Amino acid sequence: MTPVSSHSPHGQSSLRTVQVLGGGNAGSSAHVRSLTSGLVARGVRVTVCAPTEAERAHDFTGAGAEHVHVPRSSDPASVAALRMACTNADLVHAHGLHASFRAVLALSGRRTPLIVTWHDRAYAEGARAQFLRLLERRVVRTAAVVLGTTSALVDRARRTGARDARLAAVALPGPREAVEPEDPDRLRAKVRAELGATGRPLLMAVGSLDRHRGYGLLLDAARSWRRLDPVPLVVVAGEGPLRAELQRRIEEEGLPVRLLGQREDVCELLSAADLALLPSGGDSRSVLAQEALHARVPLVATGGGGVPELVGDAAELVPSGDSEAFAAAVVRLLGDPERQEELRDKGARQAAGWPTEDETVAQVLSVYDELTQLRPLI
C-alpha cells in the first residue's frame, strides 16, 4: 500500500483530526487508542473527545493525543464543547451512532468533513428503536464516508442513504505495554484456582450485561450443564443493568455461573479457559471472538451478526436464540479434544488473516487523504 503523507503538498500544516467517542463501547475505545497511536506516529495531530472515564481507561494522551472531556449526552453544553474542540480541525472522525450524531450537531453549518465508523449495531426496542433509525439516517446522510466493520453494517449504511460506505479494516489492538510474561502454565493454574475451576472445565463469556448480549440464552444452556461430571464453571466478565436479574436466576436455579463484574485481566482469564462462549446473536465484530482465536481458545458462538464473516470455520456456530443447540455444542466440544485442537489451529490461521494495526491506520489515513486533498488554502 502506498504510504500517505499527513502533510499538504501546498505547505499547509500537518493534518489535524478530532476523534469523537461516546465512551460506552470498550472495543471502539480500544480501536481509537490504537488508531491515535498510529496516526500520531505518522505526524497527524489528534484530539480525542470522550468522557473522562474513557481517557482513564484507555490513556489517549499517553498515545500522543490531546484529550477533551465531552460527556456522552447530546445536550447543548456537550455539543458546544465538541463544537469548540472541532474548531480548525481538518476532519472529524466519530465512532458509534451516538458519538456520530453528536458530531453532526457540532459540525452544523461547517464544511468540515465527517467520517463515521460503525463498530456495531445500536440496539433498542419499541419507540426507541424508531428513534435510533432516525439518528442513523441523519448521520449517514451527513457523513462524507461511513466505515463499517462488517459487510452487514456497510449494507445497512447504504440502505439508510450513505453517499459512500466502505468496509473498514479494524485490528484487534495489542497490549499497550510490554511486560515480562509469566509462565503460561503456572498463570493458567493460578487463575483457575482463584476462580474455583480446579479439576473442572472453565467456560468464559465477556461483555456488558445488557439485554441483547444473550445472557438469558447462556443461563438456559447452563441448566443442562449441571448434569455433567464434573460440572463446568461459567464465568462472565462484564457489568451492566441486567446484573441483579441474572444473579437472581443463578441463585434461584443453582446455575454453575459466576458474574465477575468488570475485569482488567480478561486476556489472562481467557487464556485459562477451556472454551469461550459468545451467546449474543448480533455482534458485528466481536472482540471476544477475536481474542479467543488469537489465544487459541475454542469458541462456541451463535451465528448471527458479523460473527460468521469474522471467524469463518474456526468456531462452533449454532443458530441464534437456540439455547438447546448452544448447550449441546458445548457438551460435544468438551468431550472431543481432537475437535478442540482442530479449532485452535483453524483459529490461529483465521486470526493471521485479519488486518494488522498498521493496515488499519493506513486505510483510515488514505480516507483522510482523499477528503483533505482538495482543502482550500486559507
Side-chain angles (χ1 to χ4, degrees), residues 197-247:
T198 301
R200 62 192 295 199
L202 177 62
L203 316 180
M204 184 173 182
V206 180
S208 58
L209 305 183
D210 294 307
R211 188 75 58 188
H212 69 275
R213 294 289 182 181
Y215 291 119
L217 179 147
L218 180 61
L219 297 192
D220 290 343
R223 278 202 299 262
S224 68
W225 300 334
R226 294 176 302 183
R227 299 192 297 268
L228 300 179
D229 184 19
V231 178
L233 173 64
V234 183
V235 296
V236 181
E239 196 54 85
L242 283 190
R243 184 183 181 94
E245 178 182 326
L246 296 174
Q247 188 62 48

Short mmCIF file of all heavy atoms in Angstrom, two decimals, residues 197-247:
data_model
loop_
_atom_site.label_atom_id
_atom_site.label_comp_id
_atom_site.label_asym_id
_atom_site.label_seq_id
_atom_site.Cartn_x
_atom_site.Cartn_y
_atom_site.Cartn_z
N ALA A 197 -12.06 -23.17 39.57
CA ALA A 197 -12.24 -24.07 38.43
C ALA A 197 -11.17 -25.16 38.38
O ALA A 197 -10.92 -25.72 37.32
CB ALA A 197 -12.25 -23.28 37.13
N THR A 198 -10.53 -25.47 39.49
CA THR A 198 -9.55 -26.56 39.52
C THR A 198 -10.29 -27.89 39.39
O THR A 198 -11.24 -28.16 40.13
CB THR A 198 -8.74 -26.53 40.83
OG1 THR A 198 -8.08 -25.26 40.92
CG2 THR A 198 -7.71 -27.63 40.85
N GLY A 199 -9.86 -28.71 38.42
CA GLY A 199 -10.49 -30.03 38.27
C GLY A 199 -11.83 -30.01 37.58
O GLY A 199 -12.55 -31.01 37.58
N ARG A 200 -12.19 -28.90 36.96
CA ARG A 200 -13.46 -28.83 36.23
C ARG A 200 -13.27 -27.90 35.03
O ARG A 200 -12.40 -27.02 35.05
CB ARG A 200 -14.58 -28.32 37.14
CG ARG A 200 -14.33 -26.92 37.66
CD ARG A 200 -15.28 -26.51 38.79
NE ARG A 200 -16.66 -26.42 38.39
CZ ARG A 200 -17.60 -25.76 39.09
NH1 ARG A 200 -17.26 -25.11 40.20
NH2 ARG A 200 -18.84 -25.74 38.68
N PRO A 201 -14.07 -28.08 33.97
CA PRO A 201 -13.93 -27.19 32.80
C PRO A 201 -14.29 -25.75 33.17
O PRO A 201 -15.18 -25.50 33.98
CB PRO A 201 -14.95 -27.76 31.81
CG PRO A 201 -15.16 -29.18 32.24
CD PRO A 201 -15.04 -29.17 33.73
N LEU A 202 -13.58 -24.81 32.54
CA LEU A 202 -13.83 -23.40 32.74
C LEU A 202 -14.31 -22.80 31.41
O LEU A 202 -13.60 -22.87 30.40
CB LEU A 202 -12.56 -22.68 33.20
CG LEU A 202 -12.66 -21.16 33.38
CD1 LEU A 202 -13.68 -20.80 34.46
CD2 LEU A 202 -11.29 -20.56 33.71
N LEU A 203 -15.51 -22.25 31.42
CA LEU A 203 -16.11 -21.65 30.23
C LEU A 203 -16.23 -20.15 30.49
O LEU A 203 -16.62 -19.73 31.58
CB LEU A 203 -17.50 -22.23 29.96
CG LEU A 203 -17.66 -23.75 30.08
CD1 LEU A 203 -19.09 -24.17 29.79
CD2 LEU A 203 -16.69 -24.47 29.16
N MET A 204 -15.93 -19.33 29.48
CA MET A 204 -15.88 -17.90 29.72
C MET A 204 -16.65 -17.09 28.68
O MET A 204 -16.54 -17.34 27.48
CB MET A 204 -14.44 -17.40 29.75
CG MET A 204 -14.34 -15.93 30.10
SD MET A 204 -12.66 -15.37 30.32
CE MET A 204 -12.98 -13.66 30.78
N ALA A 205 -17.42 -16.12 29.16
CA ALA A 205 -18.08 -15.13 28.31
C ALA A 205 -17.66 -13.75 28.78
O ALA A 205 -17.34 -13.55 29.94
CB ALA A 205 -19.60 -15.28 28.39
N VAL A 206 -17.65 -12.79 27.84
CA VAL A 206 -17.23 -11.43 28.14
C VAL A 206 -18.19 -10.46 27.48
O VAL A 206 -18.58 -10.67 26.32
CB VAL A 206 -15.80 -11.14 27.62
CG1 VAL A 206 -15.39 -9.71 27.96
CG2 VAL A 206 -14.80 -12.13 28.21
N GLY A 207 -18.57 -9.41 28.20
CA GLY A 207 -19.39 -8.37 27.60
C GLY A 207 -20.32 -7.73 28.60
O GLY A 207 -20.60 -8.30 29.66
N SER A 208 -20.77 -6.55 28.28
CA SER A 208 -21.67 -5.82 29.18
C SER A 208 -22.94 -6.62 29.41
O SER A 208 -23.42 -7.34 28.51
CB SER A 208 -22.00 -4.45 28.59
OG SER A 208 -22.59 -4.58 27.32
N LEU A 209 -23.49 -6.51 30.60
CA LEU A 209 -24.67 -7.28 30.98
C LEU A 209 -25.92 -6.55 30.50
O LEU A 209 -26.70 -6.02 31.28
CB LEU A 209 -24.70 -7.50 32.50
CG LEU A 209 -23.45 -8.15 33.09
CD1 LEU A 209 -23.62 -8.38 34.59
CD2 LEU A 209 -23.12 -9.48 32.38
N ASP A 210 -26.11 -6.57 29.18
CA ASP A 210 -27.25 -5.91 28.54
C ASP A 210 -28.15 -6.97 27.92
O ASP A 210 -27.73 -8.11 27.66
CB ASP A 210 -26.77 -4.95 27.45
CG ASP A 210 -25.99 -3.78 28.01
OD1 ASP A 210 -26.51 -3.10 28.91
OD2 ASP A 210 -24.85 -3.54 27.55
N ARG A 211 -29.38 -6.56 27.63
CA ARG A 211 -30.39 -7.49 27.13
C ARG A 211 -29.96 -8.18 25.85
O ARG A 211 -30.19 -9.37 25.66
CB ARG A 211 -31.70 -6.71 26.91
CG ARG A 211 -32.89 -7.57 26.58
CD ARG A 211 -33.43 -8.30 27.80
NE ARG A 211 -33.81 -7.38 28.87
CZ ARG A 211 -34.16 -7.78 30.09
NH1 ARG A 211 -34.15 -9.07 30.39
NH2 ARG A 211 -34.49 -6.90 31.01
N HIS A 212 -29.31 -7.46 24.93
CA HIS A 212 -29.02 -8.02 23.62
C HIS A 212 -27.79 -8.92 23.60
O HIS A 212 -27.46 -9.49 22.56
CB HIS A 212 -28.83 -6.90 22.59
CG HIS A 212 -27.59 -6.09 22.80
ND1 HIS A 212 -27.53 -5.02 23.68
CD2 HIS A 212 -26.35 -6.18 22.26
CE1 HIS A 212 -26.33 -4.50 23.66
NE2 HIS A 212 -25.59 -5.18 22.81
N ARG A 213 -27.12 -9.09 24.75
CA ARG A 213 -25.89 -9.89 24.79
C ARG A 213 -26.14 -11.39 24.88
O ARG A 213 -25.20 -12.19 24.83
CB ARG A 213 -25.02 -9.46 25.96
CG ARG A 213 -24.46 -8.05 25.85
CD ARG A 213 -23.41 -7.97 24.79
NE ARG A 213 -22.82 -6.65 24.70
CZ ARG A 213 -21.89 -6.31 23.83
NH1 ARG A 213 -21.43 -7.20 22.97
NH2 ARG A 213 -21.40 -5.08 23.80
N GLY A 214 -27.39 -11.80 25.06
CA GLY A 214 -27.70 -13.23 25.02
C GLY A 214 -27.45 -13.99 26.31
O GLY A 214 -27.34 -15.22 26.29
N TYR A 215 -27.38 -13.29 27.44
CA TYR A 215 -27.08 -14.00 28.69
C TYR A 215 -28.25 -14.84 29.17
O TYR A 215 -28.06 -15.81 29.90
CB TYR A 215 -26.64 -13.01 29.77
CG TYR A 215 -25.28 -12.41 29.47
CD1 TYR A 215 -25.13 -11.05 29.29
CD2 TYR A 215 -24.16 -13.23 29.31
CE1 TYR A 215 -23.89 -10.50 28.98
CE2 TYR A 215 -22.93 -12.69 29.00
CZ TYR A 215 -22.80 -11.33 28.84
OH TYR A 215 -21.58 -10.80 28.53
N GLY A 216 -29.47 -14.48 28.77
CA GLY A 216 -30.61 -15.35 29.09
C GLY A 216 -30.43 -16.72 28.45
O GLY A 216 -30.64 -17.77 29.08
N LEU A 217 -30.02 -16.72 27.18
CA LEU A 217 -29.73 -17.98 26.48
C LEU A 217 -28.60 -18.74 27.18
O LEU A 217 -28.66 -19.97 27.33
CB LEU A 217 -29.37 -17.69 25.03
CG LEU A 217 -29.02 -18.87 24.12
CD1 LEU A 217 -29.47 -18.60 22.68
CD2 LEU A 217 -27.52 -19.16 24.12
N LEU A 218 -27.57 -18.02 27.62
CA LEU A 218 -26.45 -18.67 28.28
C LEU A 218 -26.89 -19.36 29.57
O LEU A 218 -26.49 -20.50 29.85
CB LEU A 218 -25.36 -17.63 28.59
CG LEU A 218 -24.10 -18.15 29.29
CD1 LEU A 218 -23.39 -19.18 28.43
CD2 LEU A 218 -23.16 -16.98 29.61
N LEU A 219 -27.73 -18.69 30.36
CA LEU A 219 -28.20 -19.30 31.60
C LEU A 219 -29.13 -20.49 31.32
O LEU A 219 -29.10 -21.50 32.03
CB LEU A 219 -28.92 -18.27 32.47
CG LEU A 219 -28.08 -17.09 32.96
CD1 LEU A 219 -28.83 -16.31 34.04
CD2 LEU A 219 -26.72 -17.53 33.47
N ASP A 220 -29.94 -20.38 30.26
CA ASP A 220 -30.77 -21.53 29.86
C ASP A 220 -29.89 -22.74 29.54
O ASP A 220 -30.16 -23.86 29.94
CB ASP A 220 -31.62 -21.18 28.64
CG ASP A 220 -32.72 -20.18 28.95
OD1 ASP A 220 -33.04 -19.99 30.14
OD2 ASP A 220 -33.26 -19.58 27.99
N ALA A 221 -28.80 -22.48 28.79
CA ALA A 221 -27.89 -23.57 28.44
C ALA A 221 -27.19 -24.14 29.67
O ALA A 221 -26.97 -25.35 29.77
CB ALA A 221 -26.86 -23.07 27.43
N ALA A 222 -26.86 -23.27 30.61
CA ALA A 222 -26.13 -23.71 31.81
C ALA A 222 -26.94 -24.68 32.66
O ALA A 222 -26.36 -25.48 33.41
CB ALA A 222 -25.73 -22.49 32.64
N ARG A 223 -28.26 -24.62 32.54
CA ARG A 223 -29.08 -25.58 33.30
C ARG A 223 -28.72 -27.02 32.95
O ARG A 223 -28.64 -27.89 33.81
CB ARG A 223 -30.57 -25.33 33.03
CG ARG A 223 -31.18 -24.23 33.85
CD ARG A 223 -32.69 -24.39 33.95
NE ARG A 223 -33.32 -24.33 32.63
CZ ARG A 223 -33.88 -23.25 32.12
NH1 ARG A 223 -33.89 -22.11 32.80
NH2 ARG A 223 -34.44 -23.28 30.92
N SER A 224 -28.51 -27.26 31.65
CA SER A 224 -28.22 -28.64 31.22
C SER A 224 -26.80 -29.05 31.61
O SER A 224 -26.51 -30.25 31.75
CB SER A 224 -28.43 -28.78 29.72
OG SER A 224 -27.47 -28.04 29.01
N TRP A 225 -25.90 -28.09 31.78
CA TRP A 225 -24.52 -28.43 32.12
C TRP A 225 -24.38 -28.89 33.58
O TRP A 225 -23.35 -29.44 33.96
CB TRP A 225 -23.59 -27.24 31.85
CG TRP A 225 -23.60 -26.81 30.42
CD1 TRP A 225 -23.88 -27.59 29.34
CD2 TRP A 225 -23.36 -25.50 29.90
NE1 TRP A 225 -23.83 -26.85 28.18
CE2 TRP A 225 -23.51 -25.56 28.49
CE3 TRP A 225 -23.03 -24.27 30.48
CZ2 TRP A 225 -23.34 -24.45 27.67
CZ3 TRP A 225 -22.86 -23.16 29.66
CH2 TRP A 225 -23.01 -23.26 28.27
N ARG A 226 -25.44 -28.68 34.39
CA ARG A 226 -25.39 -29.16 35.79
C ARG A 226 -25.32 -30.68 35.86
O ARG A 226 -24.90 -31.23 36.87
CB ARG A 226 -26.63 -28.66 36.55
CG ARG A 226 -26.70 -27.16 36.74
CD ARG A 226 -27.99 -26.75 37.41
NE ARG A 226 -29.17 -27.18 36.67
CZ ARG A 226 -30.42 -26.89 37.01
NH1 ARG A 226 -30.65 -26.15 38.09
NH2 ARG A 226 -31.43 -27.30 36.28
N ARG A 227 -25.75 -31.33 34.77
CA ARG A 227 -25.77 -32.79 34.77
C ARG A 227 -24.40 -33.40 34.44
O ARG A 227 -24.21 -34.61 34.56
CB ARG A 227 -26.80 -33.31 33.76
CG ARG A 227 -28.23 -32.88 34.06
CD ARG A 227 -29.23 -33.65 33.21
NE ARG A 227 -29.04 -33.38 31.78
CZ ARG A 227 -29.68 -32.41 31.12
NH1 ARG A 227 -30.54 -31.62 31.77
NH2 ARG A 227 -29.50 -32.24 29.84
N LEU A 228 -23.48 -32.60 33.99
CA LEU A 228 -22.16 -33.10 33.61
C LEU A 228 -21.32 -33.40 34.86
O LEU A 228 -21.53 -32.83 35.93
CB LEU A 228 -21.44 -32.07 32.73
CG LEU A 228 -22.13 -31.69 31.41
CD1 LEU A 228 -21.30 -30.65 30.67
CD2 LEU A 228 -22.35 -32.92 30.55
N ASP A 229 -20.38 -34.29 34.70
CA ASP A 229 -19.47 -34.62 35.79
C ASP A 229 -18.04 -34.62 35.26
O ASP A 229 -17.69 -35.47 34.44
CB ASP A 229 -19.82 -36.00 36.37
CG ASP A 229 -18.96 -36.36 37.57
OD1 ASP A 229 -18.38 -35.42 38.18
OD2 ASP A 229 -18.87 -37.57 37.90
N PRO A 230 -17.21 -33.67 35.69
CA PRO A 230 -17.51 -32.58 36.63
C PRO A 230 -18.33 -31.47 35.97
O PRO A 230 -18.34 -31.33 34.75
CB PRO A 230 -16.12 -32.07 37.02
CG PRO A 230 -15.27 -32.37 35.83
CD PRO A 230 -15.79 -33.67 35.26
N VAL A 231 -19.01 -30.70 36.81
CA VAL A 231 -19.85 -29.61 36.31
C VAL A 231 -18.96 -28.44 35.87
O VAL A 231 -18.12 -27.98 36.65
CB VAL A 231 -20.82 -29.12 37.41
CG1 VAL A 231 -21.65 -27.95 36.90
CG2 VAL A 231 -21.71 -30.26 37.86
N PRO A 232 -19.09 -27.97 34.63
CA PRO A 232 -18.29 -26.83 34.20
C PRO A 232 -18.65 -25.57 34.99
O PRO A 232 -19.79 -25.42 35.43
CB PRO A 232 -18.66 -26.66 32.72
CG PRO A 232 -19.37 -27.91 32.33
CD PRO A 232 -19.99 -28.45 33.57
N LEU A 233 -17.70 -24.69 35.14
CA LEU A 233 -17.95 -23.38 35.73
C LEU A 233 -17.97 -22.35 34.60
O LEU A 233 -17.03 -22.28 33.80
CB LEU A 233 -16.85 -23.02 36.73
CG LEU A 233 -16.92 -21.59 37.29
CD1 LEU A 233 -18.20 -21.38 38.11
CD2 LEU A 233 -15.69 -21.26 38.12
N VAL A 234 -19.03 -21.57 34.55
CA VAL A 234 -19.15 -20.48 33.58
C VAL A 234 -18.85 -19.17 34.30
O VAL A 234 -19.46 -18.88 35.33
CB VAL A 234 -20.56 -20.41 32.97
CG1 VAL A 234 -20.63 -19.32 31.91
CG2 VAL A 234 -20.96 -21.76 32.38
N VAL A 235 -17.92 -18.40 33.77
CA VAL A 235 -17.63 -17.08 34.34
C VAL A 235 -17.93 -16.02 33.28
O VAL A 235 -17.66 -16.22 32.10
CB VAL A 235 -16.18 -16.96 34.85
CG1 VAL A 235 -15.93 -17.93 36.00
CG2 VAL A 235 -15.17 -17.18 33.73
N VAL A 236 -18.49 -14.91 33.73
CA VAL A 236 -18.86 -13.82 32.85
C VAL A 236 -18.17 -12.55 33.33
O VAL A 236 -18.40 -12.10 34.46
CB VAL A 236 -20.39 -13.60 32.82
CG1 VAL A 236 -20.74 -12.46 31.87
CG2 VAL A 236 -21.11 -14.88 32.42
N ALA A 237 -17.32 -11.99 32.49
CA ALA A 237 -16.64 -10.73 32.81
C ALA A 237 -17.39 -9.59 32.16
O ALA A 237 -17.50 -9.53 30.93
CB ALA A 237 -15.19 -10.76 32.33
N GLY A 238 -17.91 -8.69 32.97
CA GLY A 238 -18.68 -7.56 32.45
C GLY A 238 -19.64 -7.05 33.49
O GLY A 238 -19.94 -7.74 34.47
N GLU A 239 -20.10 -5.85 33.28
CA GLU A 239 -21.03 -5.22 34.20
C GLU A 239 -22.14 -4.58 33.39
O GLU A 239 -21.96 -4.31 32.20
CB GLU A 239 -20.29 -4.16 35.03
CG GLU A 239 -21.02 -3.69 36.27
CD GLU A 239 -21.43 -4.85 37.17
OE1 GLU A 239 -20.62 -5.30 37.99
OE2 GLU A 239 -22.59 -5.30 37.03
N GLY A 240 -23.31 -4.38 34.03
CA GLY A 240 -24.40 -3.77 33.29
C GLY A 240 -25.72 -3.86 34.01
O GLY A 240 -25.82 -4.42 35.11
N PRO A 241 -26.78 -3.36 33.38
CA PRO A 241 -28.08 -3.24 34.04
C PRO A 241 -28.77 -4.56 34.36
O PRO A 241 -29.67 -4.59 35.20
CB PRO A 241 -28.91 -2.42 33.04
CG PRO A 241 -28.24 -2.61 31.71
CD PRO A 241 -26.79 -2.75 32.02
N LEU A 242 -28.37 -5.65 33.71
CA LEU A 242 -29.02 -6.94 33.96
C LEU A 242 -28.41 -7.72 35.12
O LEU A 242 -28.85 -8.83 35.40
CB LEU A 242 -28.96 -7.82 32.71
CG LEU A 242 -29.92 -7.52 31.56
CD1 LEU A 242 -29.87 -8.63 30.54
CD2 LEU A 242 -31.34 -7.32 32.05
N ARG A 243 -27.41 -7.15 35.80
CA ARG A 243 -26.69 -7.93 36.80
C ARG A 243 -27.62 -8.53 37.86
O ARG A 243 -27.55 -9.72 38.16
CB ARG A 243 -25.61 -7.09 37.46
CG ARG A 243 -24.79 -7.92 38.43
CD ARG A 243 -23.74 -7.13 39.19
NE ARG A 243 -22.99 -8.01 40.07
CZ ARG A 243 -21.85 -8.58 39.76
NH1 ARG A 243 -21.29 -8.38 38.59
NH2 ARG A 243 -21.24 -9.39 40.62
N ALA A 244 -28.48 -7.71 38.45
CA ALA A 244 -29.34 -8.20 39.52
C ALA A 244 -30.27 -9.31 39.03
O ALA A 244 -30.46 -10.33 39.69
CB ALA A 244 -30.15 -7.05 40.11
N GLU A 245 -30.83 -9.12 37.84
CA GLU A 245 -31.74 -10.12 37.27
C GLU A 245 -31.01 -11.44 37.00
O GLU A 245 -31.51 -12.53 37.31
CB GLU A 245 -32.34 -9.56 35.98
CG GLU A 245 -33.27 -10.53 35.25
CD GLU A 245 -33.78 -9.92 33.96
OE1 GLU A 245 -34.01 -8.69 33.91
OE2 GLU A 245 -33.95 -10.69 32.98
N LEU A 246 -29.82 -11.35 36.43
CA LEU A 246 -29.06 -12.57 36.13
C LEU A 246 -28.62 -13.25 37.43
O LEU A 246 -28.70 -14.49 37.54
CB LEU A 246 -27.84 -12.22 35.28
CG LEU A 246 -28.11 -11.67 33.88
CD1 LEU A 246 -26.81 -11.24 33.22
CD2 LEU A 246 -28.84 -12.69 33.02
N GLN A 247 -28.16 -12.47 38.40
CA GLN A 247 -27.73 -13.06 39.67
C GLN A 247 -28.88 -13.77 40.37
O GLN A 247 -28.69 -14.84 40.96
CB GLN A 247 -27.14 -11.97 40.58
CG GLN A 247 -26.48 -12.50 41.84
CD GLN A 247 -25.29 -13.40 41.54
OE1 GLN A 247 -24.43 -13.05 40.73
NE2 GLN A 247 -25.24 -14.57 42.17
#
